[in-house]
Amino acid sequence: MNTPNGQKVQIMLEELHDLYGVEWTKTMINIMTNEQKKDWFLRLDPNGRIPVILDNTKNPPFPVMETSAELLYLLKEYDSNDAFGFKDEFERNQALQWLFFWHGSGAPYQGQVNHFTKFAKEKIPYAIERFKNETLRVYGVLEIQLSGKYTGEPREYLAGNGKGKYSVADIGTWPWVKSWEFSGFTQEDMKPFPHLLKWIERIAERPAVKRGISDKYKVDS
């Protein structure tokens, strides 16, 4: 489904298609119907969360759950040139640090913002304020990295030497952060993060990214 988590893998597949001609099929899941909680899906991902990859080129077909693991799987199996990763071990570790940072800190907080502001039956001011503040704190961490506050050199991407290189670290983070307006943050809230906003715009211009978040992944309601 065309959620931030779904978009991570959609973007990665689109990037691999542009570079290597990778092809795939897709099955769209309307998570509002709890289709992902049925046995057929739980056999692939016992956690019942989209997206899930099923690599039918393997025998038997190999399922992969959890978006960061899926990005790393696609990187290893289908990006032979490490175009979206790094051959240098220290740069590779940088990418892992930022990929895991967003997976463990950013996405859970921003997901809770979305839940308590848009979907919770009861509006709980404490919960809304807590998770908004934590999400903004995480945005601040990304801003520190991109601004070069402690290195003196602004960066274009999260991982890699110098200005960095577009990688799975960015792909795993961008679909959530670019949705800051959906999460209820204002332009005033985002003023402290100018480098982060430029990073959002920079990645948004990539053709594969545009396709990866497009209506081709829209699920019928």
Side-chain angles (χ1 to χ4, degrees):
M1 192 168 173
N2 210 5
T3 65
N5 282 338
Q7 288 172 356
K8 296 181 189 183
V9 177
Q10 292 159 199
I11 290 169
M12 185 67 173
L13 288 168
E14 295 285 356
E15 295 281 10
L16 293 171
H17 172 77
D18 284 358
L19 195 59
Y20 301 102
V22 170
E23 299 286 349
W24 67 94
T25 60
K26 64 182 185 295
T27 300
M28 303 308 296
I29 302 296
N30 186 343
I31 59 175
M32 306 308 292
T33 67
N34 273 337
E35 181 70 21
Q36 75 280 11
K37 304 300 183 184
K38 294 181 179 178
D39 284 344
W40 75 268
F41 192 94
L42 295 176
R43 287 190 179 96
L44 304 175
D45 178 1
N47 195 32
R49 296 285 191 273
I50 63 98
V52 64
I53 291 175
L54 185 63
D55 189 344
N56 289 295
T57 70
K58 310 303 180 187
N59 187 19
F62 186 72
V64 190
M65 67 179 203
E66 292 298 313
T67 53
S68 293
E70 290 166 23
L71 293 179
L72 293 173
Y73 180 85
L74 291 170
L75 182 68
K76 184 176 188 302
E77 293 293 323
Y78 294 98
D79 184 4
S80 57
N81 296 325
D82 277 316
F84 307 107
F86 299 91
K87 295 188 183 300
D88 177 84
E89 192 59 35
F90 291 109
E91 289 183 292
R92 177 179 176 275
N93 191 269
Q94 288 177 24
L96 292 177
Q97 290 174 44
W98 290 102
L99 186 66
F100 292 172
F101 170 73
W102 185 260
H103 193 119
S105 295
Y109 289 137
Q110 193 164 344
Q112 292 298 330
V113 171
N114 294 347
H115 174 76
F116 282 108
T117 59
K118 293 184 178 297
F119 305 115
K121 294 180 180 179
E122 178 186 355
K123 293 293 183 285
I124 305 173
Y126 171 79
I128 294 171
E129 181 180 8
R130 168 175 165 72
F131 289 114
K132 276 193 169 184
N133 287 340
E134 283 299 304
T135 302
L136 290 172
R137 182 189 66 79
V138 169
Y139 286 179
V141 176
L142 298 174
E143 177 70 17
I144 288 173
Q145 176 70 351
L146 292 167
S147 70
K149 179 178 180 179
Y150 297 115
T151 65
E153 182 178 13
R155 304 175 57 86
E156 294 185 352
Y157 301 104
L158 290 172
N161 295 333
K163 291 185 179 298
K165 184 184 84 168
Y166 176 70
S167 73
V168 290
D170 304 288
I171 295 171
T173 306
W174 182 85
W176 278 97
V177 181
K178 60 91 175 166
S179 301
W180 57 268
E181 287 181 291
F182 176 85
S183 297
F185 295 110
T186 65
Q187 291 185 353
E188 189 68 25
D189 291 328
M190 299 301 289
K191 273 187 178 180
F193 317 121
H195 294 85
L196 184 63
L197 291 172
K198 290 179 182 177
W199 171 84
I200 293 171
E201 294 175 359
R202 184 177 302 120
I203 293 173
E205 291 303 310
R206 297 182 65 88
V209 171
K210 291 180 180 179
R211 294 197 310 274
I213 64 173
S214 69
D215 284 349
K216 76 182 277 189
Y217 295 101
K218 186 177 180 181
V219 68
D220 293 331
S221 57

